[in-house]
Amino acid sequence: MPEPTVPEPAAPEPAAPAGAAETVDPATTPTPPRRAAGGVGTHTAQPGRTGGVGASPSRPDAEAKVNGTFDYASDLGFDRMLWGHTLRSPHPKARIRAIDTAAALAMPGVEAVLTAADVPGKLHYGLIEADQPVLAPEIANYQGEPVAIIAAETLDLARRAAEAITVDYEELEPRCDPEEAVAAGNYFRYQPVRLGDPDAQTPAVVVTRDYVVGMQDQAPLGPESGVAVPTGDGGVELYVATQWVHADLEQIAPCLNLEPDRIHMSIAGIGGAFGAREDLSVQVHMAMLALATGRPVKMMYDRAESFVGHVHRHPARMRYEHAADADGKLLYVKARIVLDGGAYASTTDAVVGNAASLAVGPYEIEHATIDAWGARTNNPPCGAMRGFGGVQTCFAYESQMDALAEALGLTPVEIRRRNAVAQGSKLLNGQIIDAYDPDRADPSGKPFSPLADMLDRFAAIPVPPIPAARDIVELPGGVGNTTHGEGVRRGVGYGVGLKNVAYSEGFDDYSTARIRLELIDGDTVAHVHTAAAEVGQGHWSLQAQIVRTELGVDRVQILPNDTLVGSAGSSSASRQSYMTGGAVKAAAEAVRELWAHHDLHDGPIEATRVFRHRATKPMDPVTGQGESHVQLALCVHRATVDVDTELGLVKVVDLTCVQDVGKIMNPSALEGQIHGGTAQGLGLAVMEAMITENGRVKNASFTDYLIPTILDMPPMRLRIVENADPEAPYGLRGAGEPPTLSSTPAIVAAIRDATGLALTHIPVRPEHLTAHYGRQP
């Protein structure tokens, strides 16, 4: 069983949050909605499920999810509902010369077949740049791009109707090499960082290596799904699994040629997200079909369609050059980072910014030359995934730190300690580390370094010993009975990850919360209304915990997350605890002030507040300098692995994690986030990769795309550090993404330790490890 979380000593109480809590006139905002059709409704924290900030109360959705009564988006159903399906291009790039839908329309039970010519409004949408067509008009730019949509009485009929559509394609030569795309000027963003003068330095050692990161899929178990219901007056209601309902609305309304107030969106039950639900999938398509037919339309992808129906983690090719003096202090870093954005922009612009600004990690550096691109190709579109640009560069810079340590005869921990940032340090983008107690210092007077402190904590956590006798399940290959221990070597490795929290580079990042307090059957009940998506992270619980803490009210109802309240932003970037947590806290404080002068027997009270974090700035387009991030979070992993060097099989034996979360808001939920993020990092390290050949996906199934199971995940030992951030609500730090960064390089470092191989490509495959493959340069 996993070892329980051990919280470390807390830092002093933080100062009041700097984020502004803006008043919104309650008269201009709608009242909380009734339970929506289709099972998307309120979630009540019942009496007895008590617990404020710092506790682990039962989650309001836990029982329903365990007993199977929770309504995921794929479970929704309405009277007279039709099924929608999408016809997709089979080619990475092709000209659409003609589409013949007559045969499909002639099939009994087929109610609509729509193409690009039927889009009622704007043809293109996008999170940052509106460049992706609702349906491909003339050119299909990637395999799986939507070409036509069908509504029929059954899903099977809709699929057969899609097969009856004839599309005259002229195949075109796809551009699939991101390096070639960059050389030709086809990229979404180029972001340089220039710091000091690297070429003027005189290093004792220089390490230069090329790194490759494969395309990882978010692999949410719940498929893309939702239902669109026409309102009868030209409007439409959508129930959909999404991470950011207001961003969906902003993109959908122009495409439907409707005013936003004619569209009501509710977040349906979400079966995992990890970035895959930030971009649109079924939303516009099912809305078009519902408006065209006048009937509810449900769309639900199967697994193969899901693999091509959402964005993925950007694959990367990187060349890094690290130089250090004889004592191991970094003198300069040079890096060339090419991320493959695929066919459309999605969030590549922001991913490139993260990759560039975090390219060196949590290490002091005075001289650097970084060049980062997001290439435009005809590969599958890439966008948000847990870690968001930080995962790729973390693998490279942590591998470089290990290579420097080896060259200098230092331990992996020591070289990181010697270069660790501290309070007052300047990061690569010129931003000053200012989120720790400025008066805290080590005995020598050196400013406090949270990273050095976290690294030191591993000394008290011994590496697991090699047992004299082991069950075969504990060996590489497991029940495959591939070894009884012969050829198995053990290795230990470390990884450090630095991740920005919330939105960066001047983005107007805010969240809205409304709280209504009233008496029901003599009990004081708080109704909390936000648009924050519950994607499994436990945010419904956290909102209730904050309300209990601020108002002392036990009964809390979490109302449906929809567009009848202001935006909460996306459930991504490890931001909801900070942002929507801050909004709920501010609204609760406002209600508490009203309550002090009001008797609830005279009627309910209500307050709506908008919370913003401190302002950030865009990176300079030439130098990359600028205070682009609001908060940074650290995580350190130590991995222990056994490697069958004859067969190239890996067994991760132990993962020990030290993470700084500022404030433990909910211990159980926090452990779940660290375990889950670590599992995705393990997947990228040794198994997960979408295989594409000339733009075509070759493994769009869970048979061929492997994700970690319970047998792949080892026990975890967690040490949680609480260095409060004085700018954040309760001093918290976003916790969901950092473990995904640091776990991957730690595992690969452990495999290197066991094999002596350089291992510059992830995921590490068996053929990278076996003797006949040879030693990598």
Side-chain angles (χ1 to χ4, degrees):
M1 294 293 293
E3 186 173 305
T5 301
V6 179
E8 300 291 343
E13 282 294 312
E22 302 173 7
T23 302
V24 178
D25 183 1
T28 65
T29 56
T31 56
R34 297 184 302 273
R35 180 179 176 87
V40 187
T42 60
H43 297 272
T44 304
Q46 298 289 350
R49 293 181 177 179
T50 57
V53 169
S56 296
S58 298
R59 291 170 57 155
D61 53 333
E63 185 175 329
K65 286 182 174 177
V66 170
N67 66 27
T69 59
F70 183 83
D71 282 334
Y72 290 98
S74 54
D75 296 320
L76 302 183
F78 290 79
D79 292 339
R80 301 181 63 247
M81 187 179 76
L82 298 170
W83 284 85
H85 185 62
T86 309
L87 175 67
R88 299 177 180 272
S89 169
H91 308 295
K93 188 173 184 179
R95 179 173 288 108
I96 301 171
R97 292 189 289 214
I99 303 177
D100 185 352
T101 63
L105 283 168
M107 298 173 68
V110 173
E111 299 296 322
V113 179
L114 306 178
T115 66
D118 300 302
V119 176
K122 187 178 177 182
L123 182 59
H124 295 85
Y125 65 88
L127 274 169
I128 297 176
E129 176 186 348
D131 68 335
Q132 187 157 354
V134 175
L135 295 166
E138 297 175 354
I139 302 290
N141 284 304
Y142 70 96
Q143 182 201 27
E145 180 158 7
V147 173
I149 49 177
I150 305 96
E153 295 291 345
T154 67
L155 178 57
D156 180 67
L157 178 58
R159 289 171 173 168
R160 287 191 284 116
E163 295 173 356
I165 297 173
T166 300
V167 183
D168 182 7
Y169 292 106
E170 176 190 352
E171 287 193 60
L172 304 174
E173 185 65 29
R175 183 186 298 277
C176 298
D177 188 315
E179 290 279 9
E180 292 180 0
V182 167
N186 292 324
Y187 49 84
F188 298 106
R189 179 180 181 180
Y190 164 60
Q191 180 60 61
V193 179
R194 298 293 184 267
L195 185 64
D197 187 358
D199 293 333
Q201 308 310 304
T202 306
V205 61
V206 177
V207 175
T208 304
R209 288 183 179 175
D210 294 324
Y211 297 94
V212 176
V213 177
M215 182 187 294
Q216 187 179 22
D217 189 73
Q218 300 90 342
L221 297 186
E224 291 75 7
S225 185
V227 181
V229 183
T231 58
D233 59 357
V236 65
E237 297 179 346
L238 282 81
Y239 305 90
V240 64
T242 179
Q243 290 179 242
W244 191 354
V245 68
H246 282 82
D248 288 2
L249 178 61
E250 290 175 3
Q251 296 172 82
I252 292 167
C255 297
L256 297 179
N257 198 26
L258 291 176
E259 291 298 319
D261 62 5
R262 304 295 301 281
I263 305 169
H264 173 222
M265 298 192 66
S266 291
I267 301 179
I270 300 171
F274 316 113
R277 303 188 198 275
E278 282 208 2
D279 295 76
L280 297 185
S281 56
V282 299
Q283 288 92 321
V284 180
H285 294 164
M286 66 187 189
M288 285 175 57
L289 292 169
L291 291 170
T293 62
R295 294 171 61 180
V297 174
K298 179 175 182 176
M299 297 190 79
M300 181 176 67
Y301 294 170
D302 63 17
R303 185 57 57 189
E305 187 174 16
S306 179
F307 268 102
V308 298
H310 63 245
V311 297
H312 316 281
R313 188 186 302 285
H314 292 72
R317 301 179 188 178
M318 301 168 286
R319 165 160 286 198
Y320 265 74
E321 180 179 316
H322 275 54
D325 64 19
D327 293 324
K329 286 289 289 182
L330 286 175
L331 294 181
Y332 71 77
V333 175
K334 297 180 181 180
R336 173 185 170 85
I337 303 162
V338 177
L339 304 168
D340 187 352
Y344 295 110
S346 183
T347 55
T348 293
D349 181 280
V351 170
V352 170
N354 273 8
S357 64
L358 303 175
V360 176
Y363 304 114
E364 292 186 333
I365 190 73
E366 296 182 5
H367 307 278
T369 298
I370 311 295
D371 295 289
W373 290 267
R376 184 195 300 269
T377 67
N378 294 112
N379 291 319
C382 292
M385 185 177 173
R386 194 177 199 162
F388 202 81
V391 167
Q392 297 90 328
T393 53
C394 183
F395 169 63
Y397 66 67
E398 285 300 276
S399 298
Q400 288 288 98
M401 295 300 284
D402 284 340
L404 279 177
E406 183 179 8
L408 290 164
L410 298 173
T411 68
V413 170
E414 183 57 28
I415 196 163
R416 288 169 171 82
R417 288 191 84 266
R418 293 186 184 187
N419 292 283
V421 293
Q423 172 72 13
S425 294
K426 184 181 291 186
L427 293 171
L428 178 65
N429 63 345
Q431 189 163 346
I432 303 297
I433 299 290
D434 63 352
Y436 298 90
D437 183 356
D439 297 325
R440 188 174 176 183
D442 66 17
S444 67
K446 184 178 179 181
F448 172 64
S449 169
L451 175 54
D453 174 66
M454 292 164 72
L455 288 165
D456 289 345
R457 293 172 189 261
F458 282 93
I461 315 171
V463 173
I466 301 175
R470 283 185 281 184
D471 189 291
I472 195 169
V473 175
E474 300 172 353
L475 291 167
V479 294
N481 198 26
T482 55
T483 182
H484 289 184
E486 59 276 10
V488 174
R489 299 177 187 168
R490 175 155 290 192
V492 177
Y494 291 83
V496 176
L498 178 71
K499 179 64 178 65
N500 61 310
V501 173
Y503 291 146
S504 301
E505 293 201 70
F507 188 88
D508 184 17
D509 194 3
Y510 68 92
S511 183
T512 312
R514 180 186 304 126
I515 296 178
R516 179 183 178 90
L517 199 65
E518 63 181 335
L519 290 177
I520 298 179
D521 298 328
D523 290 337
T524 304
V525 181
H527 305 274
V528 184
H529 195 188
T530 77
E534 170 58 76
V535 296
Q537 79 278 43
H539 195 64
W540 285 341
S541 290
L542 182 60
Q543 291 182 35
Q545 289 176 256
I546 291 172
V547 170
R548 293 191 190 103
T549 296
E550 300 300 329
L551 295 179
V553 174
D554 187 37
R555 288 186 60 184
V556 181
Q557 282 195 333
I558 307 299
L559 298 176
N561 308 127
D562 58 20
T563 51
L564 293 180
V565 68
S567 177
S570 176
S571 288
S572 61
S574 304
R575 62 178 291 283
Q576 285 295 15
S577 294
Y578 191 130
M579 299 304 300
T580 300
V584 170
K585 183 175 187 289
E589 290 169 343
V591 166
R592 187 175 65 220
E593 184 174 345
L594 292 172
W595 197 7
H597 308 286
H598 178 84
D599 188 336
L600 290 179
H601 289 91
D602 296 330
I605 53 177
E606 183 178 288
T608 301
R609 292 294 183 269
V610 175
F611 178 86
R612 282 179 166 86
H613 59 61
R614 65 178 180 177
T616 59
K617 299 176 183 178
M619 296 178 70
D620 185 276
V622 176
T623 66
Q625 300 302 289
E627 294 183 2
S628 56
H629 302 306
V630 62
Q631 187 187 68
L632 295 157
L634 279 169
C635 185
V636 185
H637 273 87
R638 183 183 65 201
T640 304
V641 304
D642 284 339
V643 181
D644 184 335
T645 56
E646 297 174 0
L647 296 178
L649 302 178
V650 176
K651 175 71 174 180
V652 182
V653 174
D654 176 76
L655 285 164
T656 300
C657 173
V658 177
Q659 183 166 342
D660 183 359
V661 303
K663 166 69 176 177
I664 299 176
M665 303 292 286
N666 181 314
S668 292
L670 174 62
E671 290 183 20
Q673 286 293 290
I674 296 175
H675 287 196
T678 300
Q680 287 189 305
L682 184 154
L684 179 59
V686 295
M687 63 181 71
E688 291 189 50
M690 288 186 65
I691 307 302
T692 61
E693 291 182 6
N694 205 30
R696 299 178 187 274
V697 178
K698 310 299 288 186
N699 60 332
S701 74
F702 282 157
T703 300
D704 299 311
Y705 183 94
L706 302 180
I707 61 175
T709 70
I710 193 170
L711 291 178
D712 299 300
M713 273 295 292
M716 288 196 68
R717 295 179 288 176
L718 309 182
R719 297 295 183 269
I720 307 303
V721 181
E722 295 183 280
N723 289 312
D725 181 349
E727 298 279 350
Y730 303 104
L732 68 83
R733 298 178 188 276
E737 291 178 287
T740 307
L741 273 70
S742 52
S743 52
T744 298
I747 292 167
V748 178
I751 301 172
R752 286 195 200 102
D753 185 48
T755 64
L757 300 174
L759 301 177
T760 57
H761 183 292
I762 52 173
V764 176
R765 307 293 298 171
E767 60 267 26
H768 298 164
L769 303 177
T770 49
H772 72 269
Y773 186 79
R775 190 178 182 87
Q776 295 187 16

